[in-house]
Amino acid sequence: MRSLIGYLVCLVVALTIAYAFAPRPVPVPGEEPLRTDRVQINALLKVGERVLAAGERGSLLVSDDQGVSWLSATVQPQRNVALTALVDLGQQRLLAVGHDGWILRSTDSGSHWQEVRHDDQLGEPLLGAWAAGGERVLAYGSFGKFYQSDDAGLNWRALALDVDSAHLNSLDGGADGRRMLVGEQGLVMRSRDGGQHWQTLPAFYTGSLFGVVRLSDAHWVSYGMRGHVFVSHDFGDSWTQLPIGNQLPLYGHVVLPGQGGVLIVGAGGSLVRLDARGQLRHVGRLAGLGTLTSAVMIGSRLLVGGERGVFQESGGSVAALGK
């Protein structure tokens, strides 16, 4: 009997080892739904009915059911470094930028991505990208890095800015040629001629600014460290600080539809809503979501991304905020 038991034990062990080392089919990327609460998200983008998310370790996620479920996009090659921003160039063309000067391009609304630029020697991150109209797109980031493409992201050339190697964090503008660029140590630059010439504005804040929003040709908003939010009604000639009431940093925003203003998100689930003229309408928090970096609107519903993944705002709508 003991011999029989011994043989059975040996057989189980042998079968277990054989199963562990047996070849298995390699999973196809994107076939299995992802747990987005396990991925840090740095950027969200809505393209038609599709929502995309970018984040840590080269994550590029796609949702075709309004953020309920997500699949992983195909990335070639996968560098496994953080992606920081997404931009829509139209005609199903998208760009993603990230650390190590990494730039990826998609021509099928984000299902597949191909590398067009990478620089692992410096290891410096790109922090944003902005569609400048037509085939032109700009990318920017750490230590004054500023690049332009005139062929929808296929080829890039460096542009010189007099920023003393400051990090460039956010850019916005309009078809009238007015643009504004913000960065660390209160850096604010503006252009009236589509970026041909840039003017550094007098400092009104010494901390880092992480975002800038164009509400109209005159009304602009900037925000950043320690809950600071500033509004200008004269394209940056003067700025007024808004009384937010907390010191949590603010990292991202979404422009609300129908002249609804802007919603800014940040650490501690912070929400700050301003109307279309930059007037403060609401300050609140989404409990339990940690640091928020980005947001998009799906109809009247808010989708937010951050350190704990992608979530729908539990109330389902921001329509009631600050009426």
Side-chain angles (χ1 to χ4, degrees):
M1 179 63 69
R2 291 181 179 177
S3 297
L4 178 60
I5 293 175
Y7 285 130
L8 289 174
V9 170
C10 291
L11 178 62
V12 170
V13 171
L15 291 173
T16 301
I17 293 173
Y19 176 79
F21 287 94
R24 295 178 178 79
V26 178
V28 177
E31 283 189 344
E32 295 296 328
L34 295 173
R35 286 282 303 275
T36 55
D37 57 348
R38 298 178 179 177
V39 180
Q40 177 175 317
I41 298 301
N42 298 322
L44 290 171
L45 179 68
K46 187 175 184 297
V47 182
E49 297 300 313
R50 171 169 283 190
V51 184
L52 297 104
E56 64 176 333
R57 300 191 303 274
S59 300
L60 275 164
L61 315 179
V62 178
S63 174
D64 289 317
D65 56 9
Q66 301 184 338
V68 176
S69 63
W70 297 81
L71 298 175
S72 180
T74 300
V75 179
Q76 294 292 337
Q78 177 54 267
R79 300 283 185 179
N80 292 309
V81 298
L83 293 167
T84 57
L86 294 163
V87 62
D88 180 11
L89 304 181
Q91 302 176 19
Q92 298 188 317
R93 300 170 303 174
L94 309 174
L95 292 180
V97 304
H99 289 208
D100 293 349
W102 202 24
I103 300 179
L104 295 164
R105 190 173 188 268
S106 172
T107 58
D108 59 4
S109 296
S111 295
H112 301 82
W113 298 81
Q114 292 290 331
E115 176 179 293
V116 295
R117 187 182 186 278
H118 180 250
D119 181 4
D120 60 357
Q121 298 301 312
L122 293 176
E124 296 173 351
L126 293 172
L127 301 174
W130 186 72
E135 300 294 284
R136 180 166 295 175
V137 58
L138 302 170
Y140 48 88
S142 61
F143 304 105
K145 297 294 183 296
F146 199 50
Y147 300 99
Q148 179 172 308
S149 170
D150 296 314
D151 53 10
L154 288 172
N155 297 280
W156 296 84
R157 58 187 174 90
L159 300 179
L161 280 182
D162 185 16
V163 295
D164 194 25
S165 295
H167 299 335
L168 306 175
N169 295 326
S170 184
L171 171 65
D172 204 359
D176 57 1
R178 294 189 178 195
R179 297 179 185 174
M180 203 169 291
L181 178 66
V182 302
E184 67 173 340
Q185 298 179 358
L187 173 69
V188 179
M189 304 182 75
R190 71 180 177 190
S191 173
R192 298 179 182 272
D193 56 10
Q196 297 184 48
H197 302 87
W198 290 92
Q199 172 192 9
T200 301
L201 300 182
F204 55 87
Y205 173 55
T206 58
S208 290
L209 294 168
F210 296 134
V212 62
V213 190
R214 180 189 188 273
L215 296 176
S216 70
D217 57 349
H219 304 312
W220 296 72
V221 175
S222 61
Y223 59 86
M225 289 294 294
R226 295 188 293 278
H228 283 84
V229 179
F230 303 91
V231 60
S232 174
H233 302 294
D234 50 18
F235 187 40
D237 286 335
S238 61
W239 295 84
T240 301
Q241 183 177 348
L242 300 181
I244 302 305
N246 67 55
Q247 295 188 345
L248 296 173
L250 300 168
Y251 294 119
H253 69 269
V254 57
V255 176
L256 302 176
Q259 294 296 308
V262 62
L263 185 70
I264 305 171
V265 301
S270 297
L271 297 178
V272 178
R273 181 176 179 178
L274 312 181
D275 67 16
R277 292 182 57 84
Q279 302 300 309
L280 183 62
R281 288 291 176 259
H282 175 84
V283 177
R285 291 193 192 181
L286 296 178
L289 299 188
T291 294
L292 301 178
T293 60
S294 47
V296 293
M297 294 297 299
I298 311 253
S300 64
R301 294 182 299 109
L302 176 66
L303 199 67
V304 294
E307 65 172 325
R308 299 180 185 175
V310 185
F311 293 91
Q312 293 188 30
E313 193 275 316
S314 58
S317 173
V318 296
L321 294 183
K323 277 191 173 181

